[in-house]
Amino acid sequence: MKILIRLPNWLGDVVMSTAFVSAVKQLYPDAQVDVIIKKELAGIATLIPGINKVHPFSKQEHSGLSGVYHFGKALRGLKYDIFFNLPHSLSSAILAWACGTKQRVGFKKEGGFFLMTNSYKKPVNVHRVNEYISLLENFTGKTVTNKQIKINTGQYLIFKYNTLIINFNSEATSRRMPLNKGRSIINALTETFKDVTFAFVGSPKESPFIDELITGLNHSDRLENHAGKTDLVGLAKLMAGSKAVLTTDSGPAHLANSVGVPTVVLFGAGNENNTAPYNKKDLSVIRYGQLVCEPCVRNTCKLYGVPKCMEMLDEIKIINALSLYLNDA
């Protein structure tokens, strides 16, 4: 049997979908499992256990619905038996149909359900991992019991020093660490953990923000800007070799959790009941929790402009959570 899975379009969602890929391999142990993934995220797919072949998809190279159709049509010759569609978009449903797969399984969303041979209602108020797996359970009639998020980095990069990785970025401004609050947290951490080096990560476009974040702070000799210096595979390996990761609610939070490094996640607008990193071992979730608007689940803060739920985070709680993994002076 040959199975094709359309993975989600965001880093955090792709990481959370690794449990779905693992579950497919559990229920179809002899099947060949291939995936379609956004080209920018294709490197991460190569680290997901159980995947045979990765088909990178680029909207720039295959623009519009016609581009999606022709990309899918080009895969018809591979003769897949089942297509699992994890995104909820119409374009991904068209892609499933264009592939000519006999059984196309997806959620009843975005008007594309009529292109599926088997469509199911998306469950509400469940974790994203369980949402994805519900698709498989509904289709097979079987219950998946062993759910685990895992990225396999293989040989990872080992830091020379006792290192904490920090990610204060997010695509959504409501989840991004405000500049002044970030500087305050960093000063508190460098004063507390005197034998620790702090490595800041992010995309190339986030490097100027990190430069501004750390410029002029105390103990600058222990602050390193790694933004834009690694691809996603390199970032996963970097995280795996660190002592711990401190991060906002973002894709890198899930990536850190998936490689098994202790992870402390700072939540603001997001709802941790739906999208917190899934593996509970060595995971700490911190939020302010005293504003009536929490969590608003918005990408921008409509009430305060700058997200107060992030500005009011307790630095002592952050230090206490990290002290389980870092050597203080």
Side-chain angles (χ1 to χ4, degrees):
M1 177 176 286
K2 298 177 69 175
I3 295 173
L4 184 58
I5 305 171
R6 174 62 164 99
L7 295 180
N9 290 318
W10 297 97
L11 174 60
D13 290 339
V14 168
V15 174
M16 286 187 279
S17 73
T18 62
F20 181 89
V21 175
S22 175
V24 168
K25 291 297 292 184
Q26 290 175 42
L27 298 186
Y28 300 94
D30 298 323
Q32 173 184 314
V33 177
D34 297 349
V35 300
I36 300 172
I37 187 171
K38 187 164 71 171
K39 188 174 183 178
E40 294 84 347
L41 301 176
I44 285 297
T46 65
L47 303 183
I48 300 175
I51 291 178
N52 174 68
K53 183 176 178 58
V54 177
H55 299 290
F57 172 75
S58 169
K59 285 186 177 180
Q60 287 70 40
E61 297 170 12
H62 302 88
S63 60
L65 295 182
S66 63
V68 170
Y69 173 78
H70 285 102
F71 179 88
K73 187 177 179 181
L75 298 178
R76 284 187 183 181
L78 298 177
K79 297 182 179 180
Y80 289 102
D81 299 290
I82 306 174
F83 187 114
F84 288 108
N85 187 38
L86 298 187
H88 306 153
S89 65
L90 174 60
S91 64
S92 63
I94 290 174
L95 178 55
W97 175 68
C99 286
T101 313
K102 297 175 183 177
Q103 293 180 293
R104 302 181 297 276
V105 186
F107 292 112
K108 294 181 178 179
K109 295 283 287 184
E110 295 290 334
F113 66 90
F114 65 93
L115 297 171
M116 301 289 109
T117 60
N118 301 76
S119 60
Y120 304 97
K121 185 177 180 181
K122 185 170 75 72
V124 296
N125 299 322
V126 301
H127 195 280
R128 189 70 48 80
V129 168
N130 297 325
E131 173 189 312
Y132 292 148
I133 288 180
S134 74
L135 200 62
L136 181 63
E137 291 179 329
N138 282 322
F139 177 68
T140 63
K142 299 178 181 179
T143 301
V144 176
T145 55
N146 184 18
K147 304 173 187 177
Q148 185 181 18
I149 300 300
K150 185 176 182 180
I151 293 289
N152 184 13
T153 60
Q155 186 176 9
Y156 52 79
L157 305 176
I158 300 176
F159 280 101
K160 182 178 179 181
Y161 306 105
N162 190 23
T163 300
L164 170 71
I165 288 181
I166 298 179
N167 170 58
F168 277 168
N169 310 290
S170 175
E171 288 289 335
T173 57
S174 59
R175 295 166 173 80
R176 190 181 306 149
M177 182 60 65
L179 180 64
N180 289 337
K181 180 64 176 181
R183 291 170 64 86
S184 176
I185 291 173
I186 295 164
N187 273 335
L189 292 176
T190 56
E191 286 297 325
T192 303
F193 303 108
K194 299 186 183 299
D195 294 327
V196 174
T197 297
F198 301 84
F200 296 81
V201 296
S203 66
K205 69 179 181 180
E206 291 163 340
S207 184
F209 168 72
I210 295 175
D211 280 334
E212 186 178 7
L213 188 70
I214 65 179
T215 297
L217 294 184
N218 302 329
H219 308 290
S220 59
D221 58 312
R222 293 189 283 124
L223 306 179
E224 300 177 353
N225 185 355
H226 289 259
K229 298 177 182 178
T230 64
D231 56 15
L232 288 176
V233 173
L235 178 59
K237 293 177 180 291
L238 204 67
M239 288 176 164
S242 68
K243 287 289 186 179
V245 174
L246 172 65
T247 174
T248 52
D249 168 29
S250 58
H254 295 276
L255 191 61
N257 181 250
S258 71
V259 301
V261 65
T263 307
V264 177
V265 190
L266 308 178
F267 264 80
N271 186 342
E272 59 269 38
N273 294 322
N274 301 125
T275 58
Y278 195 73
N279 300 329
K280 302 309 176 190
K281 185 176 185 297
D282 292 329
L283 174 69
S284 298
V285 172
I286 297 175
R287 74 155 52 252
Y288 178 54
Q290 297 184 44
L291 299 174
V292 294
C293 53
E294 292 182 80
C296 68
V297 202
R298 292 178 179 271
N299 288 333
T300 57
C301 179
K302 300 295 185 182
L303 191 58
Y304 300 105
V306 176
K308 189 172 286 294
C309 53
M310 300 295 288
E311 284 190 321
M312 301 301 292
L313 286 169
D314 189 335
E315 292 166 19
I316 299 301
K317 286 185 178 180
I318 297 172
I319 290 171
N320 289 341
L322 290 170
S323 66
L324 299 173
Y325 314 110
L326 301 178
N327 301 320
D328 54 4

